Amino acid sequence: MEGKAITPAQNSSNLSASPESDEEVLQIWGRQPLKGHVKISGAKNSALVVMAGTLLCPDDCRLRNVPGLADVARMGQILSAVGVKLEQNGDVLEINASHLIDAQAPYELVSQLRASFFIIGPLLARLGFAKVPLPGGCAIGARPVELHVRGLQALGAEVHIDHGTVHAYVKGPNRRLKGAKIYLDYPSVGATETLMMAATLAEGETVLENAAQEPEVIDLANFCRAMGAKIQGAGTNTIVISGVPRLHAVDYSIIPDRIEAGTFLIAGAITHSEISLSPVIPDHLTAVIAKLQAMGAKIIAESPDILRIIPGQTHSATDIETLPYPGFPTDMQAQFMALLTLSEGNSIIKETVFENRLRHVAELNRMGADIRVKGNVAVVRGVSRLSGAPVIATDLRASAALVLAGLAANGVTTISSLQHLDRGYEQLEVKLQKLGANLRRVKEGTDAANAPVPVITGRSGLNC
């Protein structure tokens, strides 16, 4: 089947996989039992950084298991804007970065996607210069780029920020970065990935200390190694990169999305439904599984890549503190909060990673939850039921939390601002409907009273 080409001319429009999602709402009729199996898509956070990593390679790169998401669409447009040729065929993405035409990413694209800043590392390593606007994304915290900048400076780059754009270049006749020993003040995933990519083509050895240990960092390292990079220690707090002069073609498959998998496990728990999911890597879900088990659910590994959840009759309260991996993931905090609203007892959630990641509390309280917030701590007092209500998604994971709450609530829940949901969940409503959920995506203002629920034809592909 012929693939779909993505060209630079398409960068000015069609910026998301669901351009109309800000005019749509998701209507959920709650209290429906779920049953069956759900297929987990490729990891969003891996796909985005691996796509950026293809800039390191002058040969063809084939990426498999790429999820069809708005964020992936935007990253594709950013790459094509600097001269990369992309062709999509289902969940396979063919990428060729042999002829880069520019090392400056367009602000109108970068401002919408935090992960777009990752391109500064490979562009600098490959070309010796790069201009990347300061990024955007979900409004969940500052997430400054100082760690990226200081790390690139340690590798020999001249870096300054002017009018909201980071300018970086390498002096010298060969314009190659130089290996260095770098200590990160915080184990930032983005900084670890940016500097690891930059160091793959640097002269000499680079040591990243206090590096992030997330599975997505390992996936990026494995991708770079498959192209010929020399990287050791990914998944530990010390990563050693020995620079090579050139990388080669690769055929690589993205890991399953652990956050999507965790979200569906909670969907089973909050609806008291037994469901299975695959493919998954259970080791990536250790913290999530431990908390679900502490609340009374059983998680069974039916095979190395299939998990089944058997929820308990009731859920016990538990405390959660978000931490860098292998601690409890901040990307699962909102979803667990939805489940804890219906637990027996009081739970305490402490958000330590992002300072603005409790904005979903007001929306859950609108549905009848009893949550109080002071600073970065939320106290969740379990209630006997939630009630459907009109709510607004404030960020990506908050969107998922409201969907989960809607599945368990009495009556109809109407969720607006779906552009956040489309950034990180591929065909979420379609997958839930196949499990038996009663929901539909409609134009804002559609009456939900006694409305039939049609078959939803979800969105797939990059739609660039």
Side-chain angles (χ1 to χ4, degrees), residues 181-256:
K181 189 172 185 178
I182 302 171
Y183 175 83
L184 298 175
D185 290 340
Y186 181 84
S188 160
V189 174
T192 299
E193 292 172 334
T194 293
L195 300 176
M196 184 166 64
M197 287 187 286
T200 59
L201 297 179
E203 291 181 338
E205 181 179 271
T206 299
V207 179
L208 297 180
E209 294 186 322
N210 198 31
Q213 302 176 50
E214 272 73 1
E216 294 78 16
V217 173
I218 301 174
D219 205 29
L220 175 63
N222 288 339
F223 167 73
C224 291
R225 277 198 291 260
M227 294 191 295
K230 296 181 179 179
I231 302 173
Q232 294 179 318
T236 74
N237 61 6
T238 302
I239 302 176
V240 180
I241 307 106
S242 299
V244 296
R246 191 184 192 280
L247 299 177
H248 57 69
V250 68
D251 187 323
Y252 191 79
S253 184
I254 302 295
I255 59 173

Side-chain angles (χ1 to χ4, degrees), residues 16-47:
S16 84
S18 303
E20 73 281 11
S21 60
D22 58 344
E23 301 172 0
E24 294 179 326
V25 297
L26 191 63
Q27 295 174 341
I28 305 173
W29 287 259
R31 309 283 293 176
Q32 296 292 320
L34 306 181
K35 185 179 180 180
H37 180 86
V38 63
K39 181 182 182 297
I40 301 302
S41 300
K44 173 184 84 88
N45 291 335
S46 270

Side-chain angles (χ1 to χ4, degrees), residues 15-165:
L15 291 183
S16 84
S18 303
E20 73 281 11
S21 60
D22 58 344
E23 301 172 0
E24 294 179 326
V25 297
L26 191 63
Q27 295 174 341
I28 305 173
W29 287 259
R31 309 283 293 176
Q32 296 292 320
L34 306 181
K35 185 179 180 180
H37 180 86
V38 63
K39 181 182 182 297
I40 301 302
S41 300
K44 173 184 84 88
N45 291 335
S46 270
L48 294 175
V49 71
V50 167
M51 287 174 70
T54 63
L55 290 167
L56 293 164
C57 179
D59 300 329
D60 291 327
C61 295
R62 176 179 292 135
L63 304 182
R64 302 181 186 271
N65 201 31
V66 177
L69 302 170
D71 275 8
V72 171
R74 290 190 181 104
M75 182 61 85
Q77 292 166 335
I78 289 166
L79 293 181
S80 63
V82 298
V84 177
K85 295 181 179 179
L86 300 95
E87 188 174 285
Q88 172 205 353
N89 192 348
D91 68 352
V92 177
L93 195 56
E94 307 280 355
I95 300 178
N96 183 286
S98 59
H99 297 97
L100 299 179
I101 59 174
D102 199 354
Q104 181 167 357
Y107 170 78
E108 63 272 16
L109 296 176
V110 174
S111 63
Q112 300 179 61
L113 180 62
R114 167 69 46 173
S116 60
F117 195 73
F118 295 151
I119 68 173
I120 194 169
L123 280 178
L124 191 58
R126 177 94 178 275
L127 301 177
F129 60 97
K131 295 180 182 179
V132 181
L134 292 171
C138 276
I140 57 177
R143 296 195 282 190
V145 299
E146 282 92 342
L147 294 177
H148 304 249
V149 170
R150 289 204 299 268
L152 293 174
Q153 289 171 331
L155 292 171
E158 298 284 338
V159 185
H160 69 275
I161 300 175
D162 185 33
H163 298 293
T165 296

Side-chain angles (χ1 to χ4, degrees), residues 28-30 366-368 385-391 405-406 408-414:
I28 305 173
W29 287 259
R366 186 191 297 269
M367 300 177 68
R385 68 170 192 166
L386 297 175
S387 299
V391 291
N410 292 323
V412 182
T413 298
T414 302

Side-chain angles (χ1 to χ4, degrees), residues 291 294-296 314-320 339-348 380-382:
K291 287 298 179 184
M295 296 181 70
T314 59
H315 302 123
S316 302
T318 190
D319 294 342
I320 288 172
L339 178 59
L340 290 171
T341 64
L342 294 169
S343 66
E344 292 186 345
N346 297 337
S347 304
I348 297 175
V380 185
R381 181 178 298 170

